Structure formats: structure tokens, C-alpha cells
Amino acid sequence: MQKSRRLGPLVAVALACATVSSAQHYQADFPPEEFRARWNSILERIGNEAVAVAQGAPLTSGFQLPRQSNTFYYLCGIETPGSYLLLDGRTRRATLYLPPRNERLERSEGKVLSAEDAELVRRLVGVDEVRAVTDMGTSWPVGDAKVAIYAEHAPAEGHAESRHEREAADTAIAADPWDGRLPREARFVELLRLRNPRAPIRDLTPLLDDLRSVKSPREIALVRRASQLAGLGVLEAMRSTEPGAWEYQ
């Protein structure tokens, strides 16, 4: 009898997961006006002779759910791998660049927002324009102009990893004599310098850190709810613990 009662929550979780996997890849916690407020705060800080660019997380290489970096998610809520956001201080416009539709990804993850969904994305996110990543070109974002470009120099948090853990892993890879790859953020900055030789490249990370340190009412409510759910999970784990059980169980 006890076992049958406990199947209820498990079935509910399974159904919820099935629903999420087939749903639109977009959050419902933050409206467009909240993103616009965040963009305006960035634009006020960088001034009218600069642009800020953010690079979303890449497509995963295996059978795992794509998980957006925390900072890109903070800026627009978009989960689509391979996306970019441009905040232009000269025009005070926000442009989101999305990859083309990925039918292979959608067969396993459900609908994923792409450049084909431009009208829907403008409505959901509040950006002024949605374009395809193929429109970025080799001189994106400013071309032959002395306009400062702000980009993240430090890694953002990702799935089960903090910035410190990312930095430690990047350092180990760079020090490996048979590897030596640049961190993804460093490679992005390098490409920006190569393709915009007249533009000074500045670090967007401290600015984002300052903004994210002050939570909005919606963020506070989400953090509170997440903490409540985590607490319930810990209590259930304690109730389920018995002699001989391993931590992974």
C-alpha cells in the first residue's frame, strides 16, 4: 500500500518531464519588459559609442538536453544553442541572432526556437529584430569602426558547473601540451579582435555580475520556490535513507 501511494508523485514527475520535452523551448517566468530593463541598464553603462555582444551556449555533442549559460539566459531567456545577442548603444536596439531550424534536435527535444520564428521571438523576448546567424558576417558587430565592443571574458555558469570550475577546467586544458585549446570566451574575444581591428574590446563580465547581484521581485520569487523544492527533496531523501543504501541511490 505504501509503495502504491508513492507511485503517484513519481508518475506526476514523469508526465511533467514528458510535457517539458515536447514543449516550446522558451521560459515563461520573465516578460519582455524585464529583459528590456536589463538591456537598458547595460546600455546606460556602456554608453552610445559601444555595443555589447553575448554568445549563447553551443550545441551539445551527445544525447543531453541543451542547457543555456546563466548570463545569456539572464539577458533573453533563449535556450536555443548557437544564439547571439547584440545590444547596440548607438541605436539602443536589441537584435537576437538565431540559427536555422534544427530538425534533428527537435525530433528529440521538441520545438526549438530558430530564425524561422522571428515574429514569435520578437513577441516573447521583446527584441527589436531577429536575424539568422548567417547574417552576422565576418565584420560583425561593428565592422571598420572605432566602436567599443563589450563581451564576456570569463566563463558563465552552465549545467552543474560554476565559473570557478569552468576556469579550472579551462586552465588545465590550456596547460595540456597535447591539447592547449583556448577557452570558448577567449576564442570569441580573439575573433572579435580579428574581425573588428579598430574596435577596442572590453570585458562585459563585471557589468553583468553587478546587475545579476541585485534580484528583481520575479527572480526572488523563483529563488524562494527553488529553495523550497530543494528542501523538500532533501527531506524526502532523508526519509528514504536506510542502512546499506549508497549515496547515488
Side-chain angles (χ1 to χ4, degrees):
M1 189 65 178
Q2 179 67 20
K3 181 180 291 186
S4 65
R5 283 202 301 269
R6 294 186 63 174
L7 282 177
L10 295 177
V11 172
V13 170
L15 290 174
C17 291
T19 302
V20 169
S21 66
S22 62
Q24 178 80 41
H25 266 225
Y26 190 71
Q27 57 82 37
D29 296 310
F30 301 107
E33 54 264 28
E34 181 136 350
F35 291 121
R36 291 195 197 101
R38 295 171 185 176
W39 304 336
N40 287 335
S41 294
I42 292 173
L43 292 171
E44 289 171 5
R45 286 166 170 78
I46 67 174
N48 58 9
E49 292 297 326
V51 301
V53 293
Q55 181 185 42
L59 183 65
T60 56
S61 57
F63 293 98
Q64 51 184 320
L65 184 70
R67 201 276 197 184
Q68 191 54 267
S69 69
N70 285 13
T71 50
F72 196 83
Y73 188 87
Y74 172 81
L75 288 172
C76 62
I78 289 290
E79 294 276 10
T80 307
S83 302
Y84 294 82
L85 179 68
L86 169 64
L87 303 177
D88 196 325
R90 299 165 297 182
T91 61
R92 298 189 72 84
R93 289 172 61 85
T95 304
L96 189 62
Y97 293 84
L98 296 176
R101 184 183 176 195
N102 187 331
E103 294 184 5
R104 182 195 65 80
L105 181 63
E106 289 190 341
R107 281 196 294 271
S108 60
E109 307 300 345
K111 174 64 179 175
V112 179
L113 292 172
S114 69
E116 298 178 11
D117 304 301
E119 184 177 349
L120 173 62
V121 172
R122 282 196 299 268
R123 187 167 68 250
L124 289 172
V125 186
V127 289
D128 298 290
E129 189 175 8
V130 177
R131 302 180 64 177
V133 292
T134 51
D135 293 339
M136 291 165 67
T138 57
S139 61
W140 183 86
V142 296
D144 188 23
K146 292 181 179 180
V147 176
I149 301 174
Y150 284 79
E152 291 178 88
H153 289 202
E157 307 91 339
H159 174 63
E161 56 187 6
S162 66
R163 179 183 295 169
H164 172 73
E165 290 164 333
R166 285 279 312 279
E167 288 175 332
D170 288 341
T171 299
I173 291 171
D176 184 344
W178 295 100
D179 193 334
R181 283 171 293 155
L182 285 174
R184 190 162 182 265
E185 295 75 21
R187 176 59 176 162
F188 186 48
V189 169
E190 181 182 66
L191 289 174
L192 288 172
R193 286 199 174 102
L194 287 172
R195 297 171 183 180
N196 300 269
R198 299 180 63 200
I201 309 297
R202 297 172 182 166
D203 193 0
L204 182 62
T205 306
L207 192 157
L208 286 174
D209 286 349
D210 286 345
L211 292 178
R212 292 177 61 204
S213 67
V214 180
K215 305 301 183 188
S216 70
R218 289 186 181 89
E219 288 178 292
I220 292 171
L222 286 172
V223 171
R224 180 175 290 117
R225 181 57 176 157
S227 301
Q228 292 169 345
L229 293 173
L232 291 172
V234 170
L235 292 175
E236 180 61 28
M238 294 169 63
R239 283 192 290 266
S240 303
T241 300
E242 57 187 19
W246 294 89
E247 183 178 359
Y248 74 89
Q249 294 172 315

